[in-house]
């Protein structure tokens, strides 16, 4: 089992920034591609960003391109999501997830999930 613990969420005004962290334990972190997902009330859980095992390849949803940056530190077993220029529509619970095979960006591709951290952006 891999345990994932997110932190860094909170309340921020539109235009502000937050940095989410996700600490992993229980498995060899560098063997897993990592993703950040978000889920707003009444909506599906959608991928926000994805990073490969080494960190050399990243993917972003169109809605966050140019504003969010995913990164990882394999020495610290941690993945990050830097969120800038936040908008009210970014309000959601944010989850990190781990994918051993790195095959895709759907939620069903990921084996392990954190408990989520709330991000609220006020207008």
């Amino acid at each position: 089992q891999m345990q994932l613990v997110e932190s860094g969420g909170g309340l921020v005004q539109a235009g502000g920034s937050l940095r989410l962290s996700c600490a992993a334990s229980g498995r060899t972190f560098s063997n897993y591609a990592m993703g950040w997902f978000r889920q707003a009330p009444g909506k599906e859980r959608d991928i926000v960003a994805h990073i490969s095992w080494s960190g050399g390849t990243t993917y972003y949803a169109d809605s966050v391109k140019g504003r969010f940056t995913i990164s990882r530190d394999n020495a610290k077993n941690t993945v990050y999501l830097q969120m800038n220029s936040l908008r009210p529509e970014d309000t959601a619970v944010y989850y990190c997830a781990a994918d051993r095979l790195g095959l895709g960006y759907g939620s069903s591709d990921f084996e392990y999930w954190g408990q989520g951290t709330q991000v609220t952006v006020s207008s």
Side-chain angles (χ1 to χ4, degrees):
Q1 289 287 341
M2 174 181 274
Q3 291 75 46
L4 300 171
V5 179
E6 301 98 335
S7 61
L11 174 64
V12 64
Q13 288 189 333
S17 298
L18 283 174
R19 188 194 196 203
L20 305 184
S21 299
C22 173
S25 61
R27 286 287 187 267
T28 303
F29 180 68
S30 58
N31 287 346
Y32 288 80
M34 299 297 295
W36 283 98
F37 288 75
R38 67 186 180 187
Q39 187 168 23
K43 294 189 177 182
E44 293 185 353
R45 187 175 299 187
D46 293 324
I47 193 162
V48 173
H50 180 281
I51 189 166
S52 61
W53 303 271
S54 66
T57 301
T58 57
Y59 164 85
Y60 297 94
D62 287 343
S63 58
V64 306
K65 279 181 182 176
R67 300 188 297 123
F68 291 11
T69 302
I70 189 171
S71 62
R72 66 189 296 161
D73 185 337
N74 286 345
K76 294 183 177 180
N77 294 341
T78 302
V79 61
Y80 305 96
L81 186 68
Q82 178 66 45
M83 304 186 296
N84 298 329
S85 302
L86 282 161
R87 305 167 180 169
E89 54 264 38
D90 295 318
T91 295
V93 177
Y94 283 71
Y95 300 88
C96 71
D99 172 19
R100 179 67 178 88
L101 298 178
L103 292 179
Y105 305 138
S107 56
S108 61
D109 294 313
F110 290 77
E111 298 99 291
Y112 300 109
W113 292 83
Q115 82 289 350
T117 186
Q118 177 70 47
V119 171
T120 303
V121 184
S122 63
S123 57

